[in-house]
Amino acid sequence: QLVLTQSPSASASLGASVKLTCTLSSGHSSYPIAWHQQQPEKGPRYLMKVNSDGSHIKGDGIPDRFSGSSSGAERYLTISSLQSEDEADYYCQTWGTDFRMFGGGTKLTVL
Amino acid sequence: EVQLVESGGGLVQLGGSLRLSCAASGFTFSTYDMSWVRQAPGKGLEWVSVISGSGGITYYADSVKGRFTISRDNSKNTLDLQMNSLRAEDTAVYFCAKSLRGMGLEDYWGQGIQVTVSS
């Protein structure tokens, strides 16, 4: 069964970097995923698609500070030079012909 | 600029019905799949339904299958979600979202609309 697993929380200091992880369940390591950011009280914002080979395609206007990568069944979102506005929930998403699926989300705190 | 604006939310009684709408602009609406995604209070995102650009193909999450119906009017650039037999667990903010062409991911989202099911 396809499942996306994310750590519930993460924290990093202003100006530092953080790497968030989304893990695909066994047997699904070839799936691409998408990362979305949701700031408090707002709708989600698409950040990027990350393929199994680590290549990624960012959405419109997404700063260079955001990047994606992959290793096996893990998909990563790295945010560098953290800013206060990066404090948000981050969700990974995958999909099939007849469904979409989201991970449980990671709440990022910028210290 | 892509814009998605939801409307039609509100308070409804257990077992009742509600129809959500999403007005789309800034892109060629008929050429993109569209989805509804919801978020219960304090919880994560849950995909609800998707409809193809032509409207001819629809899919639903098991949690809403048989109760919700997604539809679209490409002449008016609107997406709808008819919700029947509403349950307490349908209480959520509902987001309208545009899919990236050829892929099952959402690249633009609305601001969301609150639906509260009350007993």
Side-chain angles (χ1 to χ4, degrees):
Chain A
Q1 184 180 347
L2 178 57
V3 175
L4 298 173
T5 302
Q6 298 182 251
S7 296
S9 63
S11 62
S13 300
L14 201 63
S17 294
V18 69
K19 190 175 189 179
L20 307 182
T21 303
C22 174
T23 303
L24 290 148
S25 50
S26 178
H28 300 93
S29 61
S30 65
Y31 277 59
I33 65 112
W35 284 104
H36 302 275
Q37 176 196 61
Q38 187 179 29
Q39 293 173 324
E41 306 305 319
K42 289 190 174 181
R45 177 192 187 191
Y46 168 65
L47 296 176
M48 67 185 72
K49 176 192 177 215
V50 181
N51 295 313
S52 58
D53 63 0
S55 60
H56 59 279
I57 305 170
K58 289 197 276 190
D60 294 338
I62 303 304
D64 292 342
R65 304 187 295 107
F66 291 82
S67 63
S69 58
S70 290
S71 177
E74 296 191 330
R75 307 286 180 265
Y76 307 109
L77 172 68
T78 300
I79 312 171
S80 58
S81 303
L82 273 168
Q83 301 180 4
S84 57
E85 59 262 34
D86 298 331
E87 185 159 290
D89 295 324
Y90 291 84
Y91 293 92
C92 59
Q93 178 198 12
T94 195
W95 59 91
T97 303
D98 58 352
F99 72 93
R100 272 91 157 122
M101 176 181 292
F102 293 92
T106 297
K107 183 176 187 63
L108 175 64
T109 300
V110 179
L111 305 172
Chain B
E1 178 194 6
V2 172
Q3 287 199 324
L4 300 168
V5 180
E6 302 94 339
S7 61
L11 179 64
V12 61
Q13 287 201 329
L14 211 56
S17 297
L18 204 61
R19 189 176 185 90
L20 304 183
S21 288
C22 171
S25 61
F27 62 103
T28 306
F29 183 69
S30 62
T31 62
Y32 292 92
D33 295 354
M34 297 292 295
S35 288
W36 288 99
V37 176
R38 68 185 180 183
Q39 187 170 35
K43 303 296 185 183
L45 301 174
E46 179 191 14
W47 171 71
V48 172
S49 182
V50 62
I51 186 168
S52 64
S54 67
I57 300 173
T58 58
Y59 297 111
Y60 299 90
D62 288 344
S63 57
V64 306
K65 203 172 291 185
R67 300 188 300 121
F68 289 13
T69 302
I70 191 171
S71 61
R72 64 192 297 160
D73 185 336
N74 286 343
S75 68
K76 296 180 180 178
N77 289 359
T78 56
L79 173 73
D80 288 343
L81 186 68
Q82 176 65 43
M83 304 185 293
N84 298 332
S85 303
L86 282 161
R87 306 168 179 169
E89 55 266 34
D90 295 320
T91 293
V93 174
Y94 285 72
F95 298 100
C96 161
K98 169 189 168 292
S99 294
L100 191 61
R101 183 176 289 169
M103 298 184 206
L105 66 88
E106 279 54 58
D107 65 343
Y108 285 95
W109 297 76
Q111 83 287 351
I113 192 86
Q114 178 70 48
V115 171
T116 303
V117 183
S118 170
S119 56

